[in-house]
Amino acid sequence: MVFKRLLGAMGAGGPSVDTVLDGGAVAPGGILSGQVHLQGGSADVEIEHIGLELIARVEAEHEDGESEGAVVFERFTVGGGFRLAEQERHSVPFSVSLPWETPVSELYGQPLGIVLGVRTELAVAGARDKGDLDPLAVRPLPVQEAVLEALGQLGFGFKSADLEHGHIGGTGQQLPFYQEIELTPAPQYAHAVNEIELTFLATPAGMEIVLEADKRGGLFESGQDALTRFTVSHHDVGARDWNSEVDGWIRQLVDHRASYGSHATYGHADPYAAGSGYGHHSAHGSGHPSDHESGHGSGHEGHRSGPGLGTAVAAGAAGLAVGVVGGLVAAEVVDEMGDFFEGDDDEGGEED
């Protein structure tokens, strides 16, 4: 998908930029490549800087409710320091690595409703213009796909997905936001939990998998949340029975009601070392403000919206928000991204 725009900051007759990403979705930690095509304007200009920004639509919770904003989560310099002649065509190839925690925006080709983009910035004679915007498609890593597939086969259903501003305490999270995938419980767990929330935090060595259960309360008991974390290596993909593994995680999560208040802590030994199984796991009691440290000083009480899960989502199976996922075709995601980011010149503000 290509967007072409005259750089307004340069005035009428200035150069135009047309960034073309190489086809196909990219995995977290993978290589994003493409070319920035420049077209000279009515006069020669010095191209001082060509930059790329990775941006995401992120939700934030605060005292007044929820709001959305654009967050720049990575920047790259891919060119500059040359003269672009009048009407000259010039192309700058690039190849950059996505952050390992880059959110997944599609699964088996189905968009999840996560809005990501690549913005091109051109600096000419001291003037900067964010002139070109392209949608960024990110597919899951093999471990992420295996976990999602197992959840689908175990009977969990997709509810929503979003990007939440803040930090999950006790993890190695690097970005100023995290992706949260909300699932409806499988029938065998429906008596115990209202929903399961899943977050992946990838690293070069492996994956932190954070599971949170919104637990049902009894007649004289309020519902509470429990949170656990597991770690796996990227090399584990073909060596595990993922259905059994993930079912074991869910059972531990549900059974941790008795451990509330135990103040279990996250270990920091090498969780990906050989023979470590899935490394370690920890459980936390209820009270989201201590588990999810929001950058806006709020607890983690609200929930969000978005879409994605296993083969069932790709096949459009009944019961997994088929109408939402099926209706959110790629073109609509592109339109939504353009509408959301257009005119937002201070999208980095949410990072503070």
Side-chain angles (χ1 to χ4, degrees):
M1 194 68 65
V2 177
F3 291 81
K4 188 173 182 180
R5 177 176 163 183
L6 189 68
L7 295 177
M10 315 309 172
S16 62
V17 62
D18 181 6
T19 298
V20 181
L21 303 180
D22 289 344
V26 183
I31 299 299
L32 175 68
S33 59
Q35 294 199 41
V36 178
H37 300 299
L38 300 174
Q39 170 74 56
S42 58
D44 294 359
V45 294
E46 293 293 333
I47 304 298
E48 300 173 351
H49 166 90
I50 302 173
L52 300 178
E53 296 178 336
L54 304 184
I55 50 181
R57 183 183 68 183
V58 176
E59 297 183 6
E61 297 178 2
H62 42 78
E63 293 181 359
D64 298 327
E66 292 187 356
S67 60
E68 291 184 338
V71 172
V72 176
F73 63 97
E74 185 62 282
R75 290 182 171 93
F76 308 96
T77 297
V78 297
F82 62 90
R83 187 171 187 82
L84 184 67
E86 177 183 354
Q87 298 301 315
E88 178 188 359
R89 294 180 182 272
H90 183 81
S91 295
V92 178
F94 63 85
S95 181
V96 297
S97 297
L98 293 185
W100 280 94
E101 289 181 18
T102 300
V104 175
S105 67
E106 67 175 47
L107 181 61
Y108 299 135
Q110 287 284 354
L112 308 185
I114 300 298
V115 180
L116 303 175
V118 179
R119 174 125 61 190
T120 306
E121 180 184 74
L122 199 66
V124 177
R128 292 175 179 264
D129 196 295
K130 303 176 188 298
D132 195 48
L133 180 66
D134 289 86
L136 174 62
V138 180
R139 67 178 186 271
L141 290 160
V143 168
Q144 294 170 318
E145 188 172 301
V147 171
L148 290 169
E149 184 68 20
L151 285 164
Q153 292 184 12
L154 290 170
F156 288 86
F158 171 76
K159 184 177 181 182
S160 65
D162 76 342
L163 305 181
E164 182 71 18
H165 192 274
H167 189 273
I168 302 177
T171 69
Q173 181 185 336
Q174 300 295 310
L175 295 184
F177 58 84
Y178 54 92
Q179 182 172 17
E180 196 167 75
I181 300 172
E182 298 183 3
L183 310 172
T184 57
Q188 62 269 33
Y189 296 112
H191 67 285
V193 297
N194 289 314
E195 67 182 23
I196 298 290
E197 297 172 354
L198 168 67
T199 295
F200 295 111
L201 298 173
T203 72
M207 186 86 57
E208 292 182 88
I209 299 169
V210 181
L211 291 170
E212 185 172 4
D214 180 9
K215 302 178 75 68
R216 296 187 184 276
L219 182 61
F220 302 105
E221 178 184 21
S222 61
Q224 295 179 328
D225 290 350
L227 183 144
T228 62
R229 185 189 65 158
F230 303 88
T231 57
V232 296
S233 167
H234 293 301
H235 301 295
D236 290 340
V237 175
R240 297 186 183 223
D241 179 345
W242 286 102
N243 283 16
S244 297
E245 188 88 20
V246 173
D247 190 51
W249 296 348
I250 299 297
R251 290 183 183 278
Q252 291 185 53
L253 178 64
V254 171
D255 291 344
H256 276 146
R257 179 188 294 271
S259 70
Y260 287 165
S262 64
H263 305 292
T265 58
Y266 290 123
H268 291 285
D270 181 5
Y272 309 111
S276 65
Y278 47 74
H280 58 272
H281 70 274
S282 298
H284 283 265
S286 60
H288 286 207
S290 62
D291 293 331
H292 296 255
E293 300 168 354
S294 170
H296 292 263
S298 67
H300 181 77
E301 299 169 353
H303 295 288
R304 17 275 176 207
S305 59
L309 174 63
T311 302
V313 169
L320 296 186
V322 177
V324 176
V325 177
L328 193 60
V329 297
E332 292 173 337
V333 173
V334 171
D335 290 342
E336 181 183 4
M337 183 187 70
D339 292 343
F340 183 77
F341 292 129
E342 184 69 28
D344 190 345
D345 294 329
D346 190 27
E347 58 284 292
E350 292 246 4
E351 293 180 299
D352 297 330

